[in-house]
Structure formats: C-alpha cells, structure tokens
Amino acid sequence: MPYARPQPPVFERVEDERLHRKQRLAAAFRLFGKFGFSEGIAGHITARDPEFTDHFWVNPLGTYFGHIRVSDLLLVNREGEVVKGDAEVNRAAFAIHSQIHEARPDVIAAAHAHSLYGKAWSSLGRLLDPLTQDSCAFYEDHALFDDFTGVVLETSEGQRLAQTLGTNKAIILRNHSILTVGHTVDEAAFWYINLERSCQAQLLAEAAGRPTTIKHETARLTQTQVGSHTSGWFGFQPLYDRIVREEPDLLN
C-alpha cells in the first residue's frame, strides 16, 4: 500500500533555516569521522547560506571531522574570505565548492572526502556498474572526471570539475576520490555515504568473481525508486538521530 513519506522541512524564518543547515552540516562531519572518512586535513562538506546564497558554510581547516560543532563552522564569501569564524578555510575546498555552488543553483550542499573505497575505486577511472539496489541510485546519475593534475587549488580547475559533474548527483575524481551534491545537506551527505559503500561493494564483488549487473531497464527503474532527492534526504534521518543522541555536543 502507498504511504506518505516524510518531506524536508520548510522554514518561514531564514534564521531557522540557517541553523537547521548548520546542525545538519555538523552532524554530517561527525558521521564522516565515525565512518572513518577523515584523512588528515583533507575533505570538506559545504552548505549554501539561505540568505547570502553566494556564501557557504564549511569546516575549518585542520579540525578533525569528529570534533566539529555548529559553532566551529565558517562562512565563506564568493572571494574565498572567511566572513564568520576564526579559522582558515581549506584552499581546495573553496576552489572546488565555490564553482559547484556557482554552476548549480539547485545545489544546497556538496560533500567530498578522501575515504578509502572512494579513493581505491577512483584509481580505476571507471563509473560504477549497477550491481546492487543501492548503487542504482547513481545509475546514469554520476560522472567521471578523467583527469588528475594534483591538488585542486585554482578555481579554474574547480570549474572544469563542475562542468563534468553537470546535472548529476555525484562524480568520481580519477586518482583522487568521490564527491556528491544534494538539494539538502542531508541528501549530499547520504549520497556520499551510499557512494562510498557502493564503491566498496563493487571492489569486493570484483575481487571475489564476476558480478552480475542489473539490466538497463531495471536499473533505470530502480534509480527512480531509490535515487530521488527525497530518498537521499530521508535516508539521512536515522543517521542524524543516531549521531545527535550519541554526540549531542555537536549542536553547540
């Protein structure tokens, strides 16, 4: 029987929406830390500010994902200047995320880290195959940036990356890692977790034998069932509840 799936909240006050996005952002960092996605100073998740839409909130450079609180987040303008917060911003975070947010007005959040299986899969220079129901979320909805020129420090390189991402929800950065976007912070974070695990699943399956791929028509149907913006947002809700219960200080 059909059921009414919960929907992302709608806010009347921009202050409430800003706080909500920042709380979700801090929670996403804590989850990334818990899942082992932290790698030194690498990795960043951004959330577009609901009022100053050419600004975004991001993690401070050099702070462990698992320690980030709402009060630690930085607000960065379109020139890369920190306008709220007392720390430095990762130069690569600005070079990549500023261009994604500019190219994709629909994107509220973008997530990128140097997680183990995303890195391993990226070295193959391939898109994922539709091997599982979960990986079908990315069927015909992820891209491959088939070039590696070193650490992304220039906005021109971020522009190239954003152009390759196109209208997709995710991109594999060859010899680098993975990146996901969403219409909410929740969605972008959930797609990252899902994509990382889909990379892991395909690496394991191919190491064990010859995996059977899902047929094109079925994969395309499944993508509409598990790959919508609402599906990504909804998938994050149990994870948010978990991390807030376990680590409530993230809301400070």
Side-chain angles (χ1 to χ4, degrees), residues 37 115-118 178 192-200:
F37 298 167
S115 46
L116 179 60
Y117 298 103
I178 56 177
Y192 190 95
I193 295 165
N194 189 351
L195 183 57
E196 167 73 5
R197 290 176 171 171
S198 294
C199 290
Q200 180 182 7

Side-chain angles (χ1 to χ4, degrees), residues 89-208:
V89 65
N90 187 314
R91 184 174 168 186
F94 177 74
I96 295 172
H97 291 254
S98 65
Q99 300 310 302
I100 290 175
H101 284 290
E102 184 172 339
R104 292 280 301 275
D106 62 308
V107 164
I108 297 300
H112 167 64
H114 290 187
S115 46
L116 179 60
Y117 298 103
K119 288 191 295 186
W121 181 260
S122 76
S123 72
L124 302 179
R126 295 167 50 194
L127 294 175
L128 284 172
D129 295 322
L131 298 188
T132 67
Q133 175 177 301
D134 292 328
S135 67
C136 282
F138 305 99
Y139 188 66
E140 297 183 329
D141 200 12
H142 70 300
L144 172 65
F145 188 66
D146 195 17
D147 191 18
F148 178 75
T149 59
V151 179
V152 180
L153 299 176
E154 303 298 332
T155 54
S156 57
E157 188 72 355
Q159 252 181 352
R160 292 179 59 221
L161 192 156
Q163 289 170 356
T164 303
L165 174 65
T167 60
N168 296 295
K169 67 160 63 80
I171 186 169
I172 295 166
L173 311 176
R174 199 197 74 200
N175 302 112
H176 187 169
S177 191
I178 56 177
L179 181 147
T180 57
V181 298
H183 286 188
T184 58
V185 176
D186 313 57
E187 181 191 354
F190 181 75
W191 290 144
Y192 190 95
I193 295 165
N194 189 351
L195 183 57
E196 167 73 5
R197 290 176 171 171
S198 294
C199 290
Q200 180 182 7
Q202 184 154 353
L203 288 165
L204 289 171
E206 292 188 354

